[in-house]
Amino acid sequence: MGLVVAIGLTLFTACGVDTPASSPSSPPPGTTTVFTTLPPPSPTTSAPPSSAPQPPPSSPQPKTGKVVVLDPGHNGGNSGRPGEINKQVPAGRGKTKPCNTTGTSTNSGYTEHAFTWDVSQRISQALVAKGIRVILTRQNDTGVGPCVNERAAIGNDAGADAVVSIHADGSNSAGAHGFHVAYSAPPLNAQQGEPSVKLATALRDGLRTGGFPTSTYLGANGLAPRADLGGLNLSTRPAALVECGNMRNAAEAAAMASEEGRQQYAAVIAKAIEDYLARS
């Protein structure tokens, strides 16, 4: 299905299976990380470190003046702190929801939180190389939260030109596969209207052009207007959430678990964000 951006219940996504945390890796230079004051979780068994590439030294890139907030869904320490992630927080439209969730995983145990962290770092690297300032809503994959309302506040406070939340789904429906892009609807402010629809459409078009199939089970033609996602409801900036695919589908799970697959997701999403910024 998180401004400074979460199934028990879903917040910013529709996924939720307790899985082990992954080891942290550092975001690329030029990326701003924003995090909460929640204490770190107790040490847990770590998965292999993220394979997200570290950028080589390079000359400073010209600055575009654009700001993008990337929200890697969930967090590696969430499963160990149920009291914190289950507390109720504002979710927009007069509703409350749990602070965050654990996310889903592939049948072989590769976690959504590790996938979203890795892909978001790769997107960040690509955007920073183009002179775009990137803010991440969490600084590693071992922490707790942030809560959905805190994730939304990061983008709002930054005056972000685009807020993109990265997730993966966990549907057990037979044959369920493909990506979809969610946006808040009906809109609660002007930025949730045309700007967010344009951002969602740019992401949809980029993923489809990149060879990824649209969802067979949620939304229509790769787009999913939603009224129940707190991070989108609370955003006052152009915002969209990408469910990159279904981690319970064998083919998509294999792509997400591979470095090559994650790089392909990141490349097409980064290009779609660049295209949106160029037209906005």
Side-chain angles (χ1 to χ4, degrees), residues 66-229:
K66 299 291 187 179
V67 177
V68 170
V69 167
L70 294 177
D71 172 36
H74 312 288
N75 207 331
N78 284 2
S79 62
R81 305 290 275 273
E84 291 175 14
I85 67 165
N86 287 327
K87 71 179 181 181
Q88 295 291 304
V89 299
R93 303 183 193 274
K95 307 290 186 181
T96 62
K97 283 191 174 182
C99 161
N100 209 284
T101 68
T102 59
T104 190
S105 67
T106 67
N107 291 331
S108 62
Y110 180 64
T111 61
E112 181 186 3
H113 65 77
F115 169 77
T116 66
W117 176 242
D118 184 285
V119 170
S120 294
Q121 288 186 92
R122 293 172 187 271
I123 297 170
S124 175
Q125 178 180 323
L127 296 179
V128 168
K130 296 298 181 70
I132 297 166
R133 183 187 173 206
V134 176
I135 298 173
L136 294 172
T137 60
R138 55 184 175 100
Q139 82 278 17
N140 56 43
D141 196 38
T142 59
V144 181
C147 296
V148 62
N149 57 321
E150 295 171 310
R151 293 177 186 242
I154 294 172
N156 296 344
D157 293 346
D161 296 284
V163 179
V164 179
S165 184
I166 305 299
H167 284 261
D169 207 0
S171 173
N172 287 312
S173 299
H177 70 278
F179 77 87
H180 64 271
V181 184
Y183 58 93
S184 185
L188 298 172
N189 55 57
Q191 294 301 311
Q192 289 181 14
E194 184 178 3
S196 290
V197 173
K198 285 183 174 180
L199 174 60
T201 302
L203 290 162
R204 186 275 310 275
D205 292 348
L207 282 158
R208 193 157 57 181
T209 300
F212 294 99
T214 56
S215 175
T216 60
Y217 64 102
L218 202 158
N221 297 318
L223 294 176
R226 299 280 294 271
D228 61 326
L229 300 180

